[in-house]
Amino acid sequence: MRLINIGFGNMVSVGRIIAIVSPESAPIKRIISDAREKNQLIDATFGRRTRAVIIADNGSLILSAIQPETVAARLQSAAEPIQSGDERPQPATDLQAAHGQDTGGSG
């Protein structure tokens, strides 16, 4: 399970995020109000202004005090190693090869 920081040390599971939206529009404000009434709202703003609304796959809304673009960038950087799979270079092996050292493993 991969987690991203949504501000103030609060973490959200990457696999549960469906959308990251700005709270400025009237429809999003209604959705926030409805979620609050249904006890499906998680306020992670620590009293600060809400700048991003994260919509989870279970219908919960998470309020964050950081910009939606910042959350999205963190989400993308958290997903990159998963997408590249085993194609990631091994730093020690690359460094040894650059200096002409044998990387075959036989001593």
Side-chain angles (χ1 to χ4, degrees):
M1 173 172 58
R2 308 223 13 140
L3 301 172
I4 60 166
N5 187 336
I6 60 162
F8 303 106
N10 297 302
M11 309 296 264
V12 174
S13 175
V14 169
R16 306 295 303 244
I17 296 174
I18 293 188
I20 304 164
V21 296
S22 173
E24 303 301 322
S25 71
I28 299 299
K29 289 180 182 180
R30 272 194 301 276
I31 290 172
I32 293 170
S33 178
D34 291 346
R36 184 173 280 122
E37 290 173 8
K38 295 177 185 176
N39 289 326
Q40 291 185 321
L41 183 71
I42 301 168
D43 189 345
T45 62
F46 280 73
R48 306 266 172 97
R49 179 174 170 243
T50 300
R51 294 189 176 163
V53 179
I54 301 167
I55 302 172
D57 64 351
N58 62 359
S60 295
L61 295 185
I62 305 158
L63 305 182
S64 175
I66 61 175
Q67 294 289 339
E69 294 84 6
T70 304
V71 178
R74 291 178 184 179
L75 184 62
Q76 284 179 334
S77 67
E80 283 177 5
I82 294 171
Q83 292 175 353
S84 62
D86 293 334
E87 298 174 9
R88 290 181 289 167
Q90 299 297 323
T93 305
D94 290 347
L95 183 61
Q96 290 170 347
H99 292 290
Q101 296 176 354
D102 182 23
T103 59
S106 59

